[in-house]
């Protein structure tokens, strides 16, 4: 059994059963004029982790391990966008409205795309998800079963919304989950710190956390 130096204790894994899941590294969360900015957030925090996410992706690719990407997005007719989600809060523009990068979080629009630096390669799985979690209304669970994956390393944004929701969904479905601390970010530093702490509390009640260098060392040594 291979191992990653992690908190609250080492993450033992089988190389043939592990995958990287990169959550929602989309222009809409990282660039001015996107969905994240429409909610009043400073998107610069997201931009700052892009090189680290890229390093993690490259490490998994080099080790021949699966890389799965997710995108938060909706059909162009918005039939998968509940009014409760569209109307939530007081944004400057809403999901489906036209912004400087096209319609916010609508499939196929420029702003909905994954950032070039961390874009999927042909053949990598891309999960288009209408919710915050990646299992709801997607093929994610079936894809993981088909690949024989049992352990998931997570990166992406935002830590306490789509990343933590997906980790909790995965944990309840029996997957062992590890979050790469420096390859995830929140618009709120205190929320990121709290999410990391609550994930690994109580003996890894939701999962493990580790720095990207430790993850890369673990998979390279496996
Ligand atoms: N607003 C926020 O923090 N996040 C989201 O709406 N989506 C994701 O986390 N991807």
């Amino acid at each position: 059994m291979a191992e990653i130096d992690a908190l609250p204790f080492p993450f033992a894994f089988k190389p043939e059963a592990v995958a990287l899941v990169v959550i929602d590294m989309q222009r809409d969360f990282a660039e001015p004029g996107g969905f994240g900015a429409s909610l009043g957030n400073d998107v610069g925090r997201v931009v700052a982790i892009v090189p680290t996410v890229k390093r993690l992706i490259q490490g998994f690719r080099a080790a021949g391990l699966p890389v799965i990407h997710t995108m938060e997005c909706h059909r162009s007719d918005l039939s998968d966008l509940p009014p409760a989600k569209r109307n939530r809060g007081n944004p400057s523009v809403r999901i489906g409205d036209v912004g400087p990068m096209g319609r916010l979080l609508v499939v196929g629009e420029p702003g909905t795309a994954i950032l070039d630096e961390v874009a999927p390669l042909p053949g990598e799985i891309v999960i288009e998800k209408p919710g915050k979690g990646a299992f709801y209304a997607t093929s994610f669970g079936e894809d993981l079963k088909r690949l024989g994956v049992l352990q998931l390393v997570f990166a992406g944004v935002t830590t306490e919304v789509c990343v933590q929701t997906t980790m909790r969904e995965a944990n309840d479905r029996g997957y062992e989950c590890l979050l790469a601390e420096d390859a995830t970010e929140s618009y709120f530093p205190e929320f990121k710190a709290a999410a990391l702490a609550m994930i690994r509390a109580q003996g890894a009640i939701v999962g493990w956390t580790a720095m990207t260098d430790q993850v890369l060392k673990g998979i390279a040594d496996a």
Side-chain angles (χ1 to χ4, degrees):
M1 194 71 115
E3 210 170 78
I4 295 169
D5 185 11
L7 291 173
F9 51 87
F11 181 79
F13 70 98
K14 291 186 180 162
E16 66 276 16
V18 73
L20 175 65
V21 183
V22 185
I23 302 281
D24 299 2
M25 288 298 294
Q26 296 163 248
R27 297 182 65 197
D28 255 323
F29 296 107
E31 295 188 17
F35 177 63
S38 81
L39 301 170
N41 295 309
D42 169 13
V43 293
R45 299 184 59 79
V46 173
V47 174
I49 65 161
V50 171
T52 309
V53 176
K54 182 174 179 176
R55 216 154 47 81
L56 192 55
I57 291 172
Q58 286 173 334
F60 271 73
R61 285 176 181 156
L65 300 176
V67 178
I68 301 171
H69 308 257
T70 73
M71 302 171 67
E72 183 173 348
C73 58
H74 296 274
R75 297 183 195 129
S76 56
D77 65 2
L78 305 184
S79 57
D80 58 355
L81 176 62
K85 181 174 180 183
R86 176 168 156 82
N87 296 332
R88 190 74 52 85
N90 188 26
S92 48
V93 277
R94 294 181 187 279
I95 298 172
D97 291 347
V98 178
M101 296 189 288
R103 297 177 69 200
L104 266 62
L105 292 188
V106 169
V107 73
E109 297 289 329
T112 308
I114 293 175
L115 294 163
D116 284 344
E117 299 93 316
V118 290
L121 288 183
E124 290 179 346
I125 293 172
V126 180
I127 302 291
E128 296 179 354
K129 60 182 185 62
K132 302 303 182 190
F135 286 86
Y136 169 66
T138 73
S139 63
F140 188 43
E142 288 79 46
D143 291 328
L144 294 177
K145 281 199 186 100
R146 186 167 40 77
L147 293 173
V149 166
L150 299 170
Q151 298 178 298
L152 302 172
V153 173
F154 282 93
V157 295
T158 62
T159 315
E160 79 284 6
V161 183
C162 291
V163 176
Q164 191 179 202
T165 302
T166 303
M167 278 188 80
R168 287 173 181 273
E169 288 183 330
N171 189 49
D172 281 351
R173 285 164 172 79
Y175 296 94
E176 291 178 312
C177 300
L178 180 146
L179 176 55
E181 296 181 31
D182 49 346
T184 185
E185 195 48 271
S186 168
Y187 299 122
F188 305 87
E190 67 277 25
F191 289 175
K192 174 177 175 177
L196 293 174
M198 66 179 84
I199 283 165
R200 62 189 174 223
Q202 306 181 68
I205 194 87
V206 177
W208 288 253
T209 72
M211 297 298 278
T212 293
D213 282 345
Q214 302 304 331
V215 177
L216 292 174
K217 182 173 185 318
I219 62 170
D221 291 350

